[in-house]
Coordinates of all heavy atoms in Angstrom, one line a residue:
M1 N 4.6 -28.6 -19.4 CA 5.0 -27.9 -18.2 C 6.5 -27.5 -18.4 O 7.3 -28.2 -18.8 CB 5.0 -28.9 -17.0 CG 3.6 -29.4 -16.6 SD 3.4 -30.0 -15.0 CE 4.7 -31.2 -14.8
D2 N 6.7 -26.2 -18.0 CA 8.1 -25.8 -18.1 C 8.9 -25.8 -16.8 O 10.0 -25.5 -16.8 CB 8.2 -24.4 -18.8 CG 7.1 -23.5 -18.3 OD1 6.3 -23.9 -17.4 OD2 7.0 -22.3 -18.7
R3 N 8.2 -26.2 -15.7 CA 8.8 -26.3 -14.4 C 8.8 -27.8 -14.1 O 8.0 -28.6 -14.7 CB 8.1 -25.6 -13.3 CG 8.5 -24.1 -13.3 CD 8.1 -23.5 -12.0 NE 6.7 -23.1 -12.0 CZ 6.0 -22.8 -10.9 NH1 6.5 -23.0 -9.7 NH2 4.7 -22.5 -11.0
E4 N 9.7 -28.3 -13.2 CA 9.7 -29.7 -12.8 C 8.5 -30.1 -12.0 O 8.2 -31.3 -11.9 CB 11.0 -30.0 -12.2 CG 12.1 -30.1 -13.2 CD 13.5 -30.4 -12.5 OE1 13.5 -30.9 -11.4 OE2 14.5 -30.1 -13.2
Y5 N 8.0 -29.1 -11.3 CA 6.8 -29.4 -10.5 C 5.9 -28.2 -10.4 O 6.5 -27.1 -10.4 CB 7.1 -29.9 -9.1 CG 8.1 -29.0 -8.3 CD1 7.6 -27.9 -7.6 CD2 9.4 -29.2 -8.4 CE1 8.5 -27.1 -6.9 CE2 10.3 -28.4 -7.7 CZ 9.8 -27.3 -7.0 OH 10.7 -26.5 -6.4
I6 N 4.6 -28.4 -10.4 CA 3.7 -27.2 -10.3 C 2.6 -27.5 -9.4 O 2.2 -28.7 -9.2 CB 3.2 -26.8 -11.7 CG1 2.4 -27.9 -12.3 CG2 4.2 -26.2 -12.6 CD1 1.4 -27.5 -13.4
N7 N 2.0 -26.5 -8.8 CA 0.8 -26.5 -8.0 C -0.4 -26.2 -8.9 O -0.5 -25.1 -9.4 CB 1.0 -25.5 -6.9 CG -0.3 -25.5 -6.0 OD1 -1.2 -26.3 -6.1 ND2 -0.2 -24.5 -5.0
V8 N -1.2 -27.3 -9.2 CA -2.3 -27.1 -10.1 C -3.3 -26.0 -9.5 O -3.8 -25.3 -10.3 CB -3.0 -28.4 -10.3 CG1 -4.2 -28.3 -11.3 CG2 -2.0 -29.5 -10.9
M9 N -3.4 -26.0 -8.2 CA -4.3 -25.0 -7.6 C -3.8 -23.6 -7.9 O -4.6 -22.7 -8.2 CB -4.4 -25.2 -6.1 CG -5.5 -24.4 -5.4 SD -7.1 -24.7 -6.0 CE -7.8 -25.8 -4.8
E10 N -2.5 -23.4 -7.9 CA -1.9 -22.1 -8.3 C -2.3 -21.7 -9.7 O -2.7 -20.6 -9.9 CB -0.4 -22.1 -8.1 CG 0.3 -20.8 -8.4 CD 1.8 -20.9 -8.3 OE1 2.3 -21.7 -7.5 OE2 2.4 -20.1 -9.0
E11 N -2.2 -22.6 -10.6 CA -2.5 -22.3 -12.0 C -4.0 -21.9 -12.1 O -4.3 -21.0 -12.8 CB -2.3 -23.6 -12.9 CG -0.9 -23.9 -13.2 CD -0.8 -24.9 -14.3 OE1 -1.5 -26.0 -14.3 OE2 -0.1 -24.6 -15.3
I12 N -4.8 -22.7 -11.4 CA -6.3 -22.3 -11.5 C -6.5 -21.0 -10.9 O -7.2 -20.2 -11.5 CB -7.1 -23.4 -10.8 CG1 -7.0 -24.8 -11.5 CG2 -8.5 -23.0 -10.6 CD1 -7.6 -26.0 -10.8
V13 N -6.0 -20.7 -9.8 CA -6.2 -19.4 -9.1 C -5.7 -18.2 -9.9 O -6.4 -17.2 -10.0 CB -5.7 -19.4 -7.6 CG1 -5.7 -18.1 -7.0 CG2 -6.5 -20.4 -6.8
V14 N -4.5 -18.4 -10.4 CA -3.9 -17.3 -11.2 C -4.8 -16.9 -12.4 O -5.1 -15.8 -12.7 CB -2.5 -17.6 -11.7 CG1 -2.0 -16.7 -12.7 CG2 -1.5 -17.7 -10.5
T15 N -5.2 -18.0 -13.1 CA -6.1 -17.8 -14.3 C -7.4 -17.1 -13.8 O -7.9 -16.2 -14.5 CB -6.4 -19.1 -15.0 OG1 -5.2 -19.8 -15.2 CG2 -7.2 -18.9 -16.2
W16 N -8.0 -17.7 -12.8 CA -9.3 -17.2 -12.3 C -9.3 -15.8 -11.8 O -10.2 -15.0 -12.1 CB -9.8 -18.1 -11.2 CG -11.2 -18.3 -11.1 CD1 -12.2 -17.3 -11.1 CD2 -12.0 -19.5 -11.0 NE1 -13.4 -17.8 -11.0 CE2 -13.3 -19.2 -11.0 CE3 -11.6 -20.8 -11.0 CZ2 -14.3 -20.2 -10.9 CZ3 -12.5 -21.8 -10.9 CH2 -13.9 -21.5 -10.9
V17 N -8.2 -15.4 -11.2 CA -8.1 -14.0 -10.7 C -8.0 -13.0 -11.9 O -8.7 -12.0 -11.9 CB -6.8 -13.8 -9.8 CG1 -6.5 -12.3 -9.6 CG2 -7.1 -14.5 -8.4
Q18 N -7.3 -13.4 -12.9 CA -7.2 -12.6 -14.2 C -8.6 -12.4 -14.8 O -9.0 -11.3 -15.1 CB -6.4 -13.3 -15.3 CG -4.9 -13.6 -14.8 CD -4.1 -12.4 -14.8 OE1 -4.5 -11.2 -15.0 NE2 -2.8 -12.6 -14.6
V19 N -9.4 -13.5 -14.8 CA -10.7 -13.5 -15.5 C -11.6 -12.6 -14.6 O -12.3 -11.7 -15.2 CB -11.3 -14.9 -15.6 CG1 -12.8 -14.9 -16.0 CG2 -10.5 -15.8 -16.6
L20 N -11.6 -12.8 -13.3 CA -12.5 -12.1 -12.4 C -12.2 -10.6 -12.5 O -13.1 -9.7 -12.6 CB -12.5 -12.6 -11.0 CG -13.2 -13.9 -10.7 CD1 -13.0 -14.3 -9.2 CD2 -14.7 -13.7 -10.9
M21 N -10.9 -10.3 -12.4 CA -10.5 -8.9 -12.3 C -10.7 -8.1 -13.6 O -10.8 -6.9 -13.6 CB -9.0 -8.7 -12.0 CG -8.6 -9.2 -10.6 SD -9.6 -8.5 -9.2 CE -8.9 -6.9 -9.1
S22 N -10.9 -8.8 -14.7 CA -11.1 -8.1 -16.0 C -12.6 -8.1 -16.3 O -13.1 -7.5 -17.3 CB -10.4 -8.8 -17.2 OG -10.7 -10.2 -17.2
G23 N -13.4 -8.7 -15.4 CA -14.9 -8.7 -15.6 C -15.5 -7.4 -15.0 O -14.9 -6.6 -14.2
M24 N -16.7 -7.1 -15.5 CA -17.5 -5.9 -15.1 C -17.6 -5.7 -13.6 O -17.4 -4.6 -13.0 CB -18.9 -5.9 -15.7 CG -18.9 -5.7 -17.2 SD -18.3 -4.0 -17.6 CE -19.7 -3.0 -17.1
E25 N -17.9 -6.8 -12.9 CA -18.2 -6.8 -11.5 C -17.1 -6.3 -10.6 O -17.4 -5.7 -9.5 CB -18.5 -8.2 -11.1 CG -19.6 -8.3 -10.1 CD -20.0 -9.8 -9.8 OE1 -19.9 -10.6 -10.7 OE2 -20.3 -10.1 -8.6
Y26 N -15.8 -6.4 -11.1 CA -14.7 -6.0 -10.2 C -13.9 -4.8 -10.7 O -12.8 -4.6 -10.4 CB -13.8 -7.2 -9.9 CG -14.6 -8.3 -9.2 CD1 -15.2 -9.4 -9.9 CD2 -14.9 -8.1 -7.8 CE1 -16.0 -10.3 -9.2 CE2 -15.7 -9.0 -7.2 CZ -16.2 -10.1 -7.8 OH -17.0 -11.0 -7.2
Q27 N -14.6 -4.0 -11.6 CA -13.9 -2.9 -12.2 C -13.5 -1.8 -11.1 O -12.6 -1.1 -11.3 CB -14.8 -2.2 -13.3 CG -14.9 -3.0 -14.5 CD -13.5 -3.4 -15.2 OE1 -12.7 -2.5 -15.4 NE2 -13.3 -4.7 -15.3
T28 N -14.3 -1.8 -10.0 CA -14.0 -0.8 -9.0 C -12.8 -1.2 -8.1 O -12.3 -0.3 -7.4 CB -15.2 -0.5 -8.1 OG1 -15.6 -1.8 -7.6 CG2 -16.3 0.1 -8.9
F29 N -12.3 -2.4 -8.2 CA -11.2 -2.8 -7.4 C -9.9 -2.6 -8.2 O -9.9 -2.8 -9.4 CB -11.3 -4.3 -7.1 CG -12.4 -4.6 -6.1 CD1 -13.7 -4.8 -6.6 CD2 -12.1 -4.7 -4.7 CE1 -14.7 -5.1 -5.7 CE2 -13.2 -4.9 -3.8 CZ -14.5 -5.1 -4.3
C30 N -8.8 -2.3 -7.5 CA -7.5 -2.0 -8.1 C -7.0 -3.4 -8.7 O -7.0 -4.4 -8.0 CB -6.5 -1.5 -7.1 SG -4.9 -1.2 -7.9
S31 N -6.6 -3.4 -9.9 CA -6.1 -4.6 -10.5 C -4.6 -4.5 -11.0 O -4.2 -5.0 -11.9 CB -6.9 -5.1 -11.7 OG -6.9 -4.1 -12.7
C32 N -3.8 -3.6 -10.2 CA -2.4 -3.5 -10.5 C -1.7 -4.8 -10.1 O -2.3 -5.6 -9.4 CB -1.8 -2.3 -9.7 SG -1.6 -2.6 -8.0
R33 N -0.5 -4.9 -10.5 CA 0.3 -6.1 -10.3 C 0.4 -6.5 -8.8 O 0.3 -7.6 -8.5 CB 1.7 -5.9 -10.9 CG 2.5 -7.1 -11.2 CD 3.8 -6.8 -11.7 NE 4.6 -8.0 -11.7 CZ 4.6 -8.9 -12.7 NH1 3.9 -8.7 -13.7 NH2 5.4 -10.0 -12.6
K34 N 0.6 -5.4 -8.0 CA 0.8 -5.6 -6.6 C -0.5 -6.2 -6.0 O -0.4 -7.2 -5.2 CB 1.1 -4.3 -6.0 CG 1.9 -4.3 -4.7 CD 2.2 -2.9 -4.2 CE 3.0 -3.0 -2.9 NZ 4.4 -2.7 -3.1
C35 N -1.6 -5.6 -6.3 CA -2.9 -6.1 -5.7 C -3.2 -7.5 -6.2 O -3.7 -8.3 -5.5 CB -4.0 -5.1 -6.0 SG -3.9 -3.6 -5.1
K36 N -3.0 -7.7 -7.5 CA -3.3 -9.0 -8.1 C -2.4 -10.1 -7.4 O -3.0 -11.2 -7.0 CB -3.0 -9.1 -9.6 CG -4.2 -8.9 -10.5 CD -3.8 -9.2 -11.9 CE -5.0 -8.6 -12.8 NZ -4.6 -8.5 -14.2
N37 N -1.2 -9.8 -7.2 CA -0.3 -10.8 -6.5 C -0.8 -11.0 -5.1 O -0.7 -12.1 -4.6 CB 1.2 -10.3 -6.5 CG 1.8 -10.4 -7.8 OD1 1.4 -11.2 -8.7 ND2 2.9 -9.7 -8.1
D38 N -1.2 -10.0 -4.4 CA -1.8 -10.1 -3.0 C -3.0 -11.0 -3.0 O -3.2 -11.8 -2.1 CB -2.1 -8.7 -2.4 CG -0.8 -8.0 -2.0 OD1 0.2 -8.7 -1.8 OD2 -0.8 -6.8 -1.8
I39 N -3.9 -10.7 -4.0 CA -5.1 -11.5 -4.1 C -4.8 -13.0 -4.3 O -5.4 -13.9 -3.7 CB -6.0 -11.0 -5.3 CG1 -6.6 -9.6 -4.9 CG2 -7.2 -12.0 -5.5 CD1 -7.1 -8.8 -6.1
I40 N -3.8 -13.3 -5.2 CA -3.4 -14.6 -5.5 C -2.8 -15.3 -4.3 O -3.2 -16.4 -4.0 CB -2.4 -14.7 -6.7 CG1 -3.2 -14.3 -8.0 CG2 -1.8 -16.0 -6.9 CD1 -2.3 -13.9 -9.2
T41 N -1.9 -14.6 -3.6 CA -1.3 -15.3 -2.5 C -2.2 -15.5 -1.3 O -2.2 -16.5 -0.7 CB 0.0 -14.5 -2.0 OG1 -0.4 -13.2 -1.9 CG2 1.1 -14.7 -3.0
L42 N -3.1 -14.5 -1.1 CA -4.1 -14.6 0.0 C -5.0 -15.8 -0.3 O -5.4 -16.5 0.6 CB -4.9 -13.3 0.1 CG -5.9 -13.2 1.3 CD1 -5.1 -13.4 2.6 CD2 -6.6 -11.8 1.3
S43 N -5.5 -15.9 -1.5 CA -6.3 -17.0 -1.9 C -5.6 -18.3 -1.7 O -6.2 -19.3 -1.1 CB -6.8 -16.9 -3.4 OG -7.4 -15.7 -3.6
L44 N -4.4 -18.4 -2.2 CA -3.7 -19.7 -2.2 C -3.3 -20.1 -0.7 O -3.3 -21.3 -0.4 CB -2.4 -19.6 -3.0 CG -2.7 -19.7 -4.5 CD1 -1.4 -19.4 -5.3 CD2 -3.2 -21.1 -4.9
N45 N -3.1 -19.2 0.1 CA -2.7 -19.5 1.5 C -3.9 -20.1 2.3 O -3.8 -20.7 3.3 CB -2.2 -18.3 2.3 CG -0.8 -17.9 1.9 OD1 -0.1 -18.8 1.4 ND2 -0.4 -16.7 2.1
N46 N -5.1 -19.9 1.7 CA -6.3 -20.5 2.3 C -6.8 -21.7 1.6 O -8.0 -22.1 1.7 CB -7.4 -19.5 2.4 CG -7.1 -18.4 3.4 OD1 -6.8 -18.7 4.5 ND2 -7.2 -17.1 3.0
M47 N -6.0 -22.3 0.8 CA -6.4 -23.5 -0.1 C -5.4 -24.6 0.0 O -4.2 -24.3 0.2 CB -6.5 -23.0 -1.5 CG -7.7 -22.1 -1.8 SD -7.6 -21.5 -3.5 CE -9.2 -20.9 -3.6
P48 N -5.8 -25.8 -0.3 CA -4.9 -26.9 -0.3 C -4.0 -26.8 -1.6 O -4.4 -26.3 -2.6 CB -5.8 -28.2 -0.4 CG -7.1 -27.7 -0.9 CD -7.2 -26.3 -0.5
N49 N -2.8 -27.3 -1.5 CA -1.9 -27.4 -2.6 C -2.1 -28.7 -3.4 O -2.4 -29.7 -2.7 CB -0.4 -27.4 -2.2 CG 0.0 -26.1 -1.5 OD1 -0.4 -25.0 -2.0 ND2 0.7 -26.2 -0.4
Y50 N -1.9 -28.7 -4.7 CA -2.0 -29.9 -5.4 C -0.8 -30.0 -6.4 O -0.9 -29.6 -7.5 CB -3.3 -30.0 -6.2 CG -4.5 -30.3 -5.4 CD1 -5.3 -29.2 -4.9 CD2 -4.9 -31.6 -5.0 CE1 -6.4 -29.5 -4.1 CE2 -6.0 -31.8 -4.2 CZ -6.7 -30.8 -3.8 OH -7.8 -31.0 -3.0
Y51 N 0.4 -30.4 -5.8 CA 1.6 -30.4 -6.6 C 1.6 -31.7 -7.5 O 1.2 -32.7 -7.1 CB 2.8 -30.4 -5.8 CG 3.1 -28.9 -5.3 CD1 2.8 -28.5 -4.1 CD2 3.8 -28.1 -6.2 CE1 3.0 -27.2 -3.7 CE2 4.1 -26.8 -5.8 CZ 3.7 -26.3 -4.5 OH 3.9 -25.1 -4.2
V52 N 2.1 -31.5 -8.7 CA 2.3 -32.6 -9.7 C 3.6 -32.5 -10.4 O 4.2 -31.4 -10.4 CB 1.1 -32.7 -10.7 CG1 -0.2 -33.0 -10.1 CG2 1.1 -31.4 -11.5
T53 N 4.1 -33.6 -10.9 CA 5.4 -33.6 -11.6 C 5.2 -33.9 -13.1 O 6.2 -33.9 -13.8 CB 6.4 -34.6 -11.0 OG1 5.7 -35.9 -10.9 CG2 6.8 -34.2 -9.6
T54 N 4.0 -34.4 -13.4 CA 3.8 -34.8 -14.8 C 2.6 -34.2 -15.4 O 1.7 -33.7 -14.7 CB 3.6 -36.4 -14.9 OG1 2.4 -36.7 -14.2 CG2 4.8 -37.1 -14.4
E55 N 2.6 -34.1 -16.7 CA 1.4 -33.5 -17.5 C 0.2 -34.4 -17.2 O -0.9 -33.8 -17.1 CB 1.7 -33.5 -19.0 CG 0.7 -32.8 -19.8 CD 0.5 -31.3 -19.4 OE1 1.5 -30.6 -19.0 OE2 -0.6 -30.8 -19.6
E56 N 0.3 -35.7 -17.1 CA -0.8 -36.6 -16.8 C -1.4 -36.3 -15.5 O -2.6 -36.2 -15.3 CB -0.4 -38.1 -16.8 CG 0.0 -38.6 -18.2 CD 1.4 -38.4 -18.5 OE1 2.1 -37.6 -17.9 OE2 1.9 -39.1 -19.5
G57 N -0.5 -36.1 -14.5 CA -1.0 -35.8 -13.1 C -1.7 -34.4 -13.1 O -2.7 -34.3 -12.5
R58 N -1.2 -33.5 -13.9 CA -1.7 -32.2 -14.0 C -3.2 -32.2 -14.5 O -4.1 -31.6 -14.0 CB -0.9 -31.3 -14.9 CG -1.3 -29.9 -15.0 CD -0.4 -29.3 -16.1 NE -0.8 -27.9 -16.3 CZ -0.5 -27.3 -17.5 NH1 0.2 -28.0 -18.4 NH2 -0.8 -26.1 -17.7
M59 N -3.4 -33.0 -15.6 CA -4.7 -33.1 -16.2 C -5.7 -33.8 -15.3 O -6.8 -33.4 -15.2 CB -4.6 -33.9 -17.6 CG -3.8 -33.1 -18.7 SD -4.2 -31.4 -18.8 CE -5.9 -31.5 -19.4
R60 N -5.2 -34.8 -14.6 CA -6.0 -35.6 -13.7 C -6.5 -34.7 -12.6 O -7.7 -34.7 -12.2 CB -5.3 -36.8 -13.2 CG -6.2 -37.9 -12.6 CD -5.5 -39.0 -12.0 NE -4.3 -38.3 -11.4 CZ -3.2 -38.8 -10.9 NH1 -3.0 -39.9 -11.1 NH2 -2.3 -38.1 -10.4
I61 N -5.6 -34.0 -11.9 CA -5.9 -33.1 -10.8 C -6.9 -32.0 -11.3 O -7.9 -31.7 -10.6 CB -4.7 -32.5 -10.2 CG1 -3.8 -33.6 -9.5 CG2 -5.1 -31.5 -9.1 CD1 -4.3 -34.2 -8.3
F62 N -6.6 -31.5 -12.5 CA -7.4 -30.4 -13.0 C -8.9 -30.9 -13.2 O -9.8 -30.3 -12.8 CB -6.9 -29.9 -14.3 CG -7.7 -28.7 -14.8 CD1 -7.5 -27.4 -14.3 CD2 -8.7 -28.9 -15.8 CE1 -8.2 -26.4 -14.8 CE2 -9.4 -27.8 -16.3 CZ -9.2 -26.6 -15.7
E63 N -9.0 -32.1 -13.7 CA -10.3 -32.7 -13.9 C -11.0 -32.9 -12.6 O -12.2 -32.7 -12.5 CB -10.3 -34.0 -14.8 CG -10.3 -33.7 -16.2 CD -9.8 -34.8 -17.1 OE1 -9.9 -36.0 -16.7 OE2 -9.2 -34.5 -18.1
N64 N -10.3 -33.4 -11.6 CA -10.9 -33.7 -10.3 C -11.4 -32.4 -9.6 O -12.4 -32.4 -9.0 CB -9.9 -34.4 -9.4 CG -9.6 -35.8 -9.7 OD1 -10.4 -36.4 -10.5 ND2 -8.6 -36.4 -9.2
L65 N -10.6 -31.3 -9.8 CA -10.9 -30.1 -9.2 C -12.0 -29.3 -9.9 O -12.7 -28.5 -9.4 CB -9.7 -29.2 -9.1 CG -8.6 -29.6 -8.1 CD1 -7.4 -28.6 -8.3 CD2 -9.1 -29.5 -6.7
N66 N -12.2 -29.7 -11.2 CA -13.2 -28.9 -12.1 C -14.6 -29.4 -11.9 O -15.2 -29.8 -12.9 CB -12.7 -29.0 -13.5 CG -13.4 -28.0 -14.4 OD1 -13.9 -27.0 -13.9 ND2 -13.4 -28.2 -15.7
T67 N -15.1 -29.4 -10.7 CA -16.5 -29.8 -10.5 C -17.3 -28.5 -10.1 O -16.6 -27.6 -9.6 CB -16.7 -30.8 -9.4 OG1 -16.3 -30.2 -8.1 CG2 -15.9 -32.1 -9.6
E68 N -18.6 -28.6 -10.2 CA -19.4 -27.4 -9.9 C -19.1 -27.0 -8.5 O -18.9 -25.8 -8.2 CB -20.9 -27.8 -10.1 CG -21.9 -26.8 -9.5 CD -22.5 -26.1 -10.6 OE1 -22.9 -26.7 -11.6 OE2 -22.8 -24.8 -10.4
E69 N -19.1 -28.0 -7.6 CA -18.9 -27.7 -6.1 C -17.5 -27.0 -5.9 O -17.4 -26.0 -5.2 CB -19.0 -29.0 -5.3 CG -19.3 -28.8 -3.9 CD -19.3 -30.1 -3.1 OE1 -19.4 -31.2 -3.8 OE2 -19.2 -30.1 -1.9
N70 N -16.5 -27.6 -6.5 CA -15.2 -27.0 -6.3 C -15.0 -25.7 -6.9 O -14.4 -24.8 -6.3 CB -14.1 -28.0 -6.9 CG -13.8 -29.2 -6.0 OD1 -14.0 -29.1 -4.8 ND2 -13.4 -30.2 -6.6
R71 N -15.6 -25.5 -8.1 CA -15.6 -24.2 -8.7 C -16.2 -23.1 -7.9 O -15.6 -22.0 -7.7 CB -16.2 -24.2 -10.1 CG -15.4 -24.9 -11.2 CD -15.9 -24.6 -12.6 NE -17.3 -24.9 -12.8 CZ -17.7 -26.0 -13.3 NH1 -16.9 -27.0 -13.6 NH2 -19.0 -26.2 -13.4
K72 N -17.3 -23.4 -7.2 CA -18.0 -22.5 -6.3 C -17.1 -22.2 -5.1 O -17.0 -21.0 -4.7 CB -19.3 -23.1 -5.8 CG -20.5 -22.7 -6.7 CD -21.8 -23.2 -6.0 CE -22.9 -23.3 -7.0 NZ -24.0 -24.2 -6.6
W73 N -16.5 -23.2 -4.6 CA -15.6 -23.1 -3.4 C -14.4 -22.2 -3.7 O -14.1 -21.3 -2.9 CB -15.2 -24.5 -3.0 CG -14.4 -24.5 -1.7 CD1 -15.0 -24.6 -0.4 CD2 -13.0 -24.6 -1.6 NE1 -13.9 -24.6 0.5 CE2 -12.8 -24.6 -0.2 CE3 -12.0 -24.5 -2.5 CZ2 -11.5 -24.7 0.3 CZ3 -10.7 -24.6 -2.0 CH2 -10.4 -24.6 -0.6
I74 N -13.8 -22.4 -4.8 CA -12.6 -21.7 -5.3 C -13.0 -20.2 -5.5 O -12.4 -19.3 -5.1 CB -12.0 -22.3 -6.5 CG1 -11.4 -23.7 -6.2 CG2 -10.9 -21.4 -7.1 CD1 -11.0 -24.5 -7.4
N75 N -14.1 -20.0 -6.2 CA -14.6 -18.7 -6.6 C -14.9 -17.9 -5.3 O -14.5 -16.7 -5.2 CB -15.9 -18.9 -7.4 CG -16.2 -17.7 -8.2 OD1 -15.4 -17.1 -8.8 ND2 -17.5 -17.3 -8.2
K76 N -15.5 -18.5 -4.3 CA -15.8 -17.8 -3.1 C -14.5 -17.3 -2.4 O -14.5 -16.2 -1.9 CB -16.5 -18.8 -2.2 CG -17.6 -18.2 -1.3 CD -18.5 -19.3 -0.8 CE -18.5 -19.3 0.7 NZ -19.4 -20.4 1.3
R77 N -13.5 -18.2 -2.4 CA -12.3 -17.8 -1.7 C -11.6 -16.6 -2.4 O -11.0 -15.7 -1.8 CB -11.3 -19.0 -1.6 CG -11.5 -19.5 -0.2 CD -11.3 -21.0 -0.2 NE -11.7 -21.5 1.1 CZ -13.0 -21.8 1.4 NH1 -13.9 -21.5 0.5 NH2 -13.4 -22.2 2.6
I78 N -11.6 -16.7 -3.7 CA -11.0 -15.6 -4.5 C -11.7 -14.3 -4.3 O -11.1 -13.2 -4.1 CB -10.9 -16.0 -6.0 CG1 -9.9 -17.2 -6.2 CG2 -10.4 -14.8 -6.8 CD1 -9.8 -17.7 -7.6
I79 N -13.0 -14.4 -4.4 CA -13.8 -13.1 -4.2 C -13.6 -12.5 -2.8 O -13.4 -11.3 -2.7 CB -15.3 -13.4 -4.5 CG1 -15.6 -13.7 -6.0 CG2 -16.2 -12.3 -4.0 CD1 -16.9 -14.2 -6.3
N80 N -13.5 -13.4 -1.8 CA -13.2 -12.9 -0.5 C -11.8 -12.2 -0.5 O -11.7 -11.2 0.1 CB -13.2 -14.2 0.5 CG -12.9 -13.7 1.9 OD1 -13.7 -12.9 2.4 ND2 -11.9 -14.2 2.5
A81 N -10.8 -12.8 -1.1 CA -9.5 -12.2 -1.2 C -9.5 -10.8 -1.9 O -8.9 -9.9 -1.5 CB -8.5 -13.1 -1.9
I82 N -10.3 -10.8 -3.0 CA -10.4 -9.5 -3.7 C -11.0 -8.4 -2.8 O -10.5 -7.3 -2.8 CB -11.4 -9.7 -5.0 CG1 -10.7 -10.5 -6.0 CG2 -11.8 -8.3 -5.5 CD1 -11.6 -10.9 -7.2
H83 N -11.9 -8.7 -2.0 CA -12.5 -7.8 -1.1 C -11.5 -7.4 0.0 O -11.4 -6.2 0.4 CB -13.8 -8.3 -0.5 CG -15.0 -8.2 -1.4 ND1 -15.7 -7.1 -1.6 CD2 -15.4 -9.1 -2.4 CE1 -16.6 -7.3 -2.5 NE2 -16.5 -8.5 -3.0
V84 N -10.8 -8.3 0.6 CA -9.9 -8.0 1.6 C -8.8 -7.1 1.1 O -8.4 -6.1 1.7 CB -9.2 -9.3 2.2 CG1 -8.1 -9.0 3.2 CG2 -10.3 -10.2 3.0
V85 N -8.2 -7.5 0.0 CA -7.1 -6.7 -0.6 C -7.6 -5.3 -1.0 O -7.0 -4.3 -0.8 CB -6.4 -7.4 -1.8 CG1 -5.4 -6.5 -2.5 CG2 -5.8 -8.7 -1.3
G86 N -8.9 -5.2 -1.5 CA -9.5 -4.0 -1.9 C -9.7 -3.0 -0.7 O -9.6 -1.8 -0.8
Q87 N -9.9 -3.7 0.4 CA -10.2 -2.9 1.6 C -8.8 -2.4 2.2 O -8.8 -1.3 2.8 CB -10.9 -3.8 2.6 CG -12.0 -3.0 3.4 CD -12.9 -4.0 4.2 OE1 -12.9 -5.2 3.9 NE2 -13.5 -3.5 5.2
Y88 N -7.8 -3.2 2.1 CA -6.5 -2.9 2.7 C -5.4 -3.0 1.6 O -4.5 -3.8 1.8 CB -6.2 -3.8 3.9 CG -7.3 -3.8 4.9 CD1 -8.2 -4.9 5.0 CD2 -7.4 -2.8 5.9 CE1 -9.2 -4.9 6.0 CE2 -8.4 -2.8 6.8 CZ -9.2 -3.9 6.9 OH -10.2 -3.9 7.9
P89 N -5.5 -2.1 0.6 CA -4.4 -2.2 -0.4 C -3.1 -1.8 0.2 O -3.1 -0.9 1.1 CB -4.9 -1.3 -1.5 CG -5.8 -0.4 -0.8 CD -6.4 -1.1 0.3
K90 N -2.0 -2.3 -0.3 CA -0.7 -2.0 0.3 C 0.0 -0.8 -0.4 O 1.2 -0.6 -0.5 CB 0.3 -3.2 0.1 CG -0.1 -4.3 1.1 CD 1.0 -5.3 1.1 CE 0.6 -6.6 1.8 NZ 1.3 -7.8 1.3
H91 N -0.9 0.1 -1.0 CA -0.3 1.3 -1.7 C -1.4 2.4 -1.6 O -2.5 2.2 -1.2 CB 0.0 1.0 -3.1 CG -1.1 0.5 -4.0 ND1 -2.1 1.3 -4.4 CD2 -1.4 -0.7 -4.4 CE1 -3.0 0.6 -5.1 NE2 -2.6 -0.6 -5.1
Ligands
ZN101 ZN1 -3.3 -1.9 -6.6

């Protein structure tokens, strides 16, 4: 970790948005920096934070969050954010 504290959920969402936006399914949506940032913040504002201060804590939270059910839940929120931002882009 290069920061003293991080939100594990933020790390997951940032990575996930990159993956989804580079996939075939979302090619029609704008993936500029502005829209990506809006998708990330809109998603995160609808999700719980999981702040940690240690690498051990980070791995533990990541493992706890990495269940089939949680992945579906996170995926749903991000896809929802992609559609909202796509409908109302700020440019
Ligand atoms: Zn854009």
Side-chain angles (χ1 to χ4, degrees):
M1 293 202 310
D2 42 358
R3 279 197 277 162
E4 286 178 19
Y5 52 87
I6 56 159
N7 178 4
V8 180
M9 188 62 100
E10 180 184 332
E11 285 195 308
I12 292 171
V13 168
V14 168
T15 307
W16 212 309
V17 167
Q18 302 284 9
V19 171
L20 284 176
M21 295 307 286
S22 56
M24 287 298 285
E25 217 176 324
Y26 298 99
Q27 289 305 304
T28 54
F29 291 85
C30 180
S31 61
C32 74
R33 198 181 168 86
K34 209 178 178 106
C35 287
K36 260 188 196 165
N37 285 340
D38 283 341
I39 292 164
I40 290 165
T41 50
L42 185 60
S43 303
L44 283 173
N45 283 339
N46 290 311
M47 287 173 168
N49 298 317
Y50 288 95
Y51 279 99
V52 294
T53 55
T54 63
E55 187 60 34
E56 291 87 345
R58 182 187 178 204
M59 294 315 294
R60 197 184 41 196
I61 296 290
F62 184 81
E63 273 161 33
N64 287 348
L65 289 175
N66 195 21
T67 65
E68 169 104 40
E69 196 182 347
N70 282 334
R71 285 198 303 267
K72 270 189 198 156
W73 186 84
I74 293 167
N75 203 40
K76 216 165 119 180
R77 263 146 195 81
I78 295 174
I79 288 168
N80 184 58
I82 290 173
H83 284 274
V84 171
V85 173
Q87 222 171 338
Y88 306 101
K90 287 188 190 151
H91 59 73

